[in-house]
Amino acid sequence: MGRAADMLGTTQGFLRAIGEARFITPLRSPGGHRRYSRYQLRIAARARELVDAGTPIEAACRIVILKDQIEEAQRINAEHHRADERLDATGSG
């Protein structure tokens, strides 16, 4: 946890707080140490930026989650649009 906090330029308390908010749930090593994935560290950094700007931690976590959901929906939409265009181009649509 200390190394993750150092990488993010934050405190261990911040990482605990986002864990308590159930924003991220790190895996545990056999010795009980928290192990964060690269993805978890990226989204924790995004939440930290919002918190540093004055957003309450729970709201920051929710904002990051909603932004990720929007990005995923846009990606899926674009894939469907490209598939429709391919069908139209082949005359199968």
Side-chain angles (χ1 to χ4, degrees):
M1 177 182 269
R3 196 164 77 199
D6 288 344
M7 290 171 64
L8 296 176
T10 192
T11 64
Q12 292 181 21
F14 173 79
L15 291 175
R16 279 190 207 93
I18 62 175
E20 289 169 8
R22 298 186 188 269
F23 180 56
I24 59 174
T25 305
L27 296 176
R28 296 281 183 153
S29 71
H33 298 282
R34 290 174 178 89
R35 301 288 182 189
Y36 297 92
S37 69
R38 288 186 180 127
Y39 174 73
Q40 288 173 326
L41 292 174
R42 277 197 308 275
I43 62 173
R46 290 168 56 193
R48 185 188 55 82
E49 290 171 5
L50 291 168
V51 170
D52 287 351
T55 306
I57 196 161
E58 294 83 7
C61 293
R62 187 72 181 137
I63 289 167
V64 172
I65 289 167
L66 290 171
K67 283 184 175 182
D68 273 358
Q69 289 173 344
I70 289 169
E71 289 171 9
E72 178 67 6
Q74 289 172 333
R75 184 191 63 75
I76 291 168
N77 237 3
E79 285 178 10
H80 287 299
H81 184 69
R82 284 190 297 274
D84 288 346
E85 286 176 343
R86 283 192 300 272
L87 286 174
D88 289 344
T90 62
S92 301

